[in-house]
Amino acid sequence: MLLSRYEWVIAKRYLLPGKGEGFIFLVASISLVAVMLGVAALIVVMSVMNGFRAELFDKIVGLNGHAVIQGYGGRLPDWRDLLEETRETEGVVSASPLIEMPLAGIYNGRVEAVLVRGMLTQDILSNDTLDGKTVAGDLGALAPGSDRVAIGSRLAQTLGAQLGSRVTLMNPQGRSTPFGTVPREISYEVAAIFEVGVYDYDKAFVIMPMEDAQTLMLLGDQIGMIEIQTNDAQNVQQIIAPLYPKIDGRAEITDWKSMNASLFETLQVERVVMFVILSIIILVAVFNILSSLIMLVRAKTRDIAILRTMGASRASLTRIFVTVGTSIGALGIAAGILLGLIAIYFRQNVINFVQTITGQNLWDPSIRFLTELPARTDPMEVFGIAMLALLFSFLATLYPAFKAASTDPVQVLRYE
């Protein structure tokens, strides 16, 4: 909106408090603060929701792949040919053999349910989710036949195990004897402790070389599944479609969307609901702009009448008051973006501070899945929020601006 020089002068004059206009200025200031808080809240919440979904996706898919070919009964015989065919499928970045079995972990009389994962040594060392997440020990020590494992940090705390401790893994499907089935128990040295940041994984995962897992679970040369990574996680179903005829009667394919459908759908619904609710907060905030402009028009009725007699057009007065209201909204939006980014940067410090003051655990990883509050700010989303708030601010100025433009100078100045 282009304003002439005198229109800018009048608009700036109305943005500043005049004599006897302290209350109007107070309402305008409250409007600015309300818009700022609404924009900041929307940016923070949307960034946290984005970060929560992205972190969960990265962690879950990083350990479970975009899809898995799982053998019936947890066994996949003759898997080497299928592995090569999977790797040669267009769109597949990598395919890795994997064994996964829920067992029991025992240490110093403590028993915990664990999820044992047998992986090739090179896959353990090259896994992006595990890379740099070791808090003690070295994943490179997990060599076939070494009787060494890596466990999650939460599991280590629960069992009381440390680096070098020997944890016993019990497989209830042991060997049959004349006296019944004897569970298979093998003791392993804890060579590494990792923390990937997902509570359920850190509390249950035990990672070992695949050859050792085959021995523990009496699988022989068989594996449990093949983990698949693709170049496009969103189109994973189309990429793995050619594999269905090759596994018919041998195994089934499950992609990440099916494995975690309820979780990610819930996050998407919450994201939309939070956006709508916080958008309403911004809408309520701009009503303060409407009320402050209405009071300003009432207070400036005589000035408006004089401007009209001096030749100011209705369009000119409309532009002046639209500029005043939109400027308040724009200042609030700019301050809100700054406040939101600061809050996101110090989010974990804020949570820790509030937890210290209240004595309450606001971020329980056993409930929230992740050990820390994540955030991922989308610049386009921030731009959209700013434009939405600016649109609301602009719409809130139209009625008082048209009201000011329709002022009849004859009626106002009749008794002057």
Side-chain angles (χ1 to χ4, degrees):
M1 182 182 297
L2 298 178
L3 274 69
S4 63
R5 184 176 180 182
Y6 92 90
E7 289 171 351
W8 270 116
V9 171
I10 296 174
K12 286 190 290 184
R13 174 64 183 83
Y14 285 171
L15 280 171
L16 299 174
K19 185 177 180 181
E21 299 170 357
F23 183 72
I24 297 175
F25 179 73
L26 175 62
V27 174
S29 300
I30 293 174
S31 305
L32 189 150
V33 173
V35 172
M36 176 188 71
L37 294 178
V39 169
L42 190 52
I43 290 175
V44 170
V45 170
M46 297 307 294
S47 297
V48 169
M49 294 298 293
N50 290 340
F52 198 80
R53 185 182 188 281
E55 282 293 311
L56 276 179
F57 179 81
D58 291 343
K59 305 296 186 185
I60 292 175
V61 172
L63 282 176
N64 296 322
H66 295 161
V68 293
I69 302 175
Q70 189 165 16
Y72 293 131
R75 294 172 179 265
L76 190 62
D78 302 326
W79 54 273
R80 288 183 172 82
D81 292 339
L82 180 57
L83 180 63
E84 289 303 318
E85 292 175 346
T86 304
R87 288 173 174 171
E88 293 171 0
T89 302
E90 184 177 357
V92 173
V93 176
S94 65
S96 306
L98 185 69
I99 297 172
E100 187 171 281
M101 186 74 69
L103 300 179
I106 306 170
Y107 180 73
N108 277 352
R110 299 180 182 179
V111 181
E112 289 291 331
V114 300
L115 190 62
V116 176
R117 286 176 65 98
M119 304 170 63
L120 294 176
T121 305
Q122 60 266 31
D123 291 336
I124 296 175
L125 298 178
S126 62
N127 190 282
D128 292 335
T129 303
L130 295 173
D131 185 30
K133 300 300 189 299
T134 304
V135 296
D138 182 12
L139 292 175
L142 303 182
S146 63
D147 289 338
R148 292 174 179 170
V149 296
I151 65 176
S153 58
R154 302 280 175 175
L155 178 60
Q157 292 176 8
T158 306
L159 290 174
Q162 300 176 349
L163 205 64
S165 301
R166 298 199 67 85
V167 175
T168 301
L169 298 179
M170 183 179 70
N171 181 7
Q173 298 177 353
R175 297 186 181 277
S176 298
T177 68
F179 302 99
T181 302
V182 178
R184 186 174 180 81
E185 296 184 7
I186 300 180
S187 178
Y188 297 92
E189 179 186 349
V190 177
I193 299 175
F194 59 85
E195 183 172 334
V196 298
V198 179
Y199 181 83
D200 288 353
Y201 292 169
D202 293 334
K203 186 178 183 296
F205 266 35
V206 175
I207 296 176
M208 64 170 56
M210 191 177 70
E211 294 82 356
D212 292 352
Q214 289 174 328
T215 301
L216 172 64
M217 300 172 195
L218 303 175
L219 292 177
D221 190 42
Q222 300 178 98
I223 63 171
M225 64 187 72
I226 295 176
E227 179 187 278
I228 303 172
Q229 296 282 354
T230 67
N231 57 12
D232 188 355
Q234 299 302 322
N235 294 318
V236 62
Q237 294 174 340
Q238 290 83 353
I239 294 173
I240 63 177
L243 293 173
Y244 282 95
K246 301 175 183 179
I247 65 167
D248 188 28
R250 301 169 56 192
E252 60 179 352
I253 300 181
T254 308
D255 60 63
W256 70 270
K257 294 181 180 179
S258 302
M259 289 186 285
N260 308 281
S262 58
L263 175 60
F264 286 104
E265 286 177 6
T266 300
L267 289 176
Q268 184 63 25
V269 171
E270 287 186 358
R271 186 172 179 271
V272 173
V273 171
M274 293 303 296
F275 181 83
V276 172
I277 292 175
L278 293 176
S279 295
I280 294 175
I281 293 177
I282 296 178
L283 183 60
V284 172
V286 300
F287 273 102
N288 290 323
I289 297 178
L290 174 64
S291 60
S292 64
L293 283 181
I294 290 175
M295 288 189 291
L296 181 63
V297 170
R298 292 291 298 272
K300 298 294 184 181
T301 300
R302 184 172 178 275
D303 294 356
I304 294 170
I306 294 175
L307 288 173
R308 291 281 288 119
T309 59
M310 295 176 63
S313 64
R314 294 179 184 272
S316 179
L317 290 172
T318 301
R319 287 194 295 270
I320 289 173
F321 283 93
V322 167
T323 300
V324 172
T326 305
S327 297
I328 295 174
L331 291 173
I333 292 168
I337 292 174
L338 180 61
L339 178 62
L341 296 178
I342 292 174
I344 291 170
Y345 184 80
F346 293 103
R347 63 189 182 280
Q348 198 61 43
N349 303 75
V350 172
I351 290 178
N352 295 337
F353 175 75
V354 175
Q355 288 181 156
T356 302
I357 297 298
T358 62
Q360 300 294 322
N361 187 2
L362 302 180
W363 190 262
D364 186 353
S366 63
I367 299 174
R368 311 290 184 181
F369 292 102
L370 303 178
T371 54
E372 291 187 353
L373 178 66
R376 185 169 297 187
T377 305
D378 184 354
M380 292 305 299
E381 200 167 66
V382 173
F383 178 77
I385 293 171
M387 291 299 102
L388 178 66
L390 192 62
L391 175 63
F392 284 166
S393 301
F394 171 75
L395 294 177
T397 66
L398 295 181
Y399 173 74
F402 290 148
K403 190 70 175 177
S406 63
T407 300
D408 186 355
V410 176
Q411 294 295 329
V412 175
L413 301 176
R414 174 180 295 178
Y415 302 105
E416 294 292 331

